Amino acid sequence: MLDTSEAVVEALRENQERPHGLPRAITAGELVEAAEVFEKPDVLVTALLELMTAYEFTGEQRESPVAFARILRLWDSTPESFSPYEAHQVFWRFTWVTTSLLQVPEMPLTAIGGWLDQMRDRYEAAGHGVRPVAAMRCHLAHHTGTGAADAYDLWATRPRTGLSDCEACEIRHRAWHHVAEGDDTAALDTWRPVLDGGQVCSEEPRMRQARALLPLLRTGRTDEARSHHLTGCR
């Protein structure tokens, strides 16, 4: 029975140990409902963050903004309900929501621009550097095909912060910018630290192995492309 906050917390721990997939996402949603009945919202914060994680890694990213809107309301009303880790996640997951919104065709671009303005305002108010905001503006520029070069420069020239993507992911984004600009050689040179296995994370190297296939084929490096395809699939 999930009639105590301790029982819900234990169920959340168990769910976090499950492999990503629809069952984990469904259970996370049920645990959010169970956490809503308690007077203190600290368990609800944890449950909503777990729901976002389940969405993110189950291919249901477009569902994340609704959960995050609730998290922001709780952050604004009862910030003491957030642990230091959860407080960090509030700002970290702004980037998750931005990429999620870009996957929703019916979402107006003006709304996404407004979301990035809110992200910038909240980062500045909290004393965080705005490189992650510049990174998201760069993603939006590539998504629309407008102003990508300038947006890239504004992102790449700012110092990294504690809320920046990891170096492996930033390498992927820098290289993909070169691909979009038609410079396959520069892209592959940029990818080299990840291609060589020196930079890894929860998404790399498999994301890079997929993205690198096109420039590898266009530069005639078909054997490398085949090798990365086979290892990336696994």
Side-chain angles (χ1 to χ4, degrees):
M1 295 291 293
L2 299 175
D3 53 359
T4 67
S5 59
E6 291 79 10
V8 175
V9 169
E10 181 59 32
L12 283 166
R13 291 197 186 101
E14 292 176 359
N15 203 45
Q16 289 166 358
E17 296 298 319
R18 293 189 175 96
H20 289 295
L22 188 57
R24 176 169 171 173
I26 291 173
T27 300
E30 293 170 347
L31 292 175
V32 167
E33 293 179 1
E36 290 173 336
V37 304
F38 304 120
E39 182 177 355
K40 293 180 64 177
D42 51 339
V43 179
L44 179 58
V45 168
T46 305
L48 286 167
L49 287 169
E50 162 61 12
L51 180 60
M52 279 192 73
T53 300
Y55 285 150
E56 181 72 14
F57 297 101
T58 308
E60 298 291 335
Q61 294 95 333
R62 62 182 294 157
E63 303 294 336
S64 287
V66 175
F68 192 64
R70 297 185 64 185
I71 291 170
L72 279 184
R73 287 195 293 271
L74 291 169
W75 174 253
D76 290 337
S77 60
T78 59
E80 67 278 5
S81 300
F82 291 70
S83 69
Y85 168 79
E86 290 167 341
H88 177 84
Q89 288 297 304
V90 170
F91 293 94
W92 179 260
R93 297 194 185 196
F94 266 92
T95 59
W96 290 21
V97 174
T98 304
T99 54
S100 296
L101 293 175
L102 290 173
Q103 298 179 37
V104 182
E106 59 269 27
M107 179 62 60
L109 290 175
T110 53
I112 299 176
W115 170 254
L116 291 177
D117 290 341
Q118 180 184 170
M119 180 182 177
R120 178 203 60 213
D121 293 344
R122 285 182 177 269
Y123 268 53
E124 289 179 341
H128 296 305
V130 294
R131 180 181 170 104
V133 182
M136 292 300 101
R137 293 197 188 280
C138 187
H139 289 327
L140 178 59
H142 275 292
H143 182 78
T144 62
T146 303
D150 289 340
Y152 175 82
D153 288 340
L154 286 173
W155 164 54
T157 57
R158 292 181 180 274
R160 283 178 52 80
T161 76
L163 289 164
S164 296
D165 278 341
C166 75
E167 291 190 31
C169 285
E170 286 207 336
I171 286 171
R172 179 178 77 245
H173 298 318
R174 290 201 304 272
W176 194 246
H177 169 77
H178 294 308
V179 171
E181 295 292 304
D183 192 343
D184 292 334
T185 299
L188 293 171
D189 288 344
T190 302
W191 259 316
R192 181 53 53 194
V194 185
L195 289 167
D196 290 343
Q199 293 284 349
V200 298
C201 71
S202 61
E203 294 184 348
E204 293 293 352
R206 60 186 180 274
M207 288 287 288
R208 176 267 310 155
Q209 288 168 328
R211 292 287 182 91
L213 294 180
L214 180 60
L216 284 170
L217 289 172
R218 288 197 302 214
T219 54
R221 295 160 62 173
T222 54
D223 288 343
E224 285 184 71
R226 180 179 183 277
S227 174
H228 289 311
H229 170 65
L230 293 175
T231 56
C233 283
R234 287 195 293 271

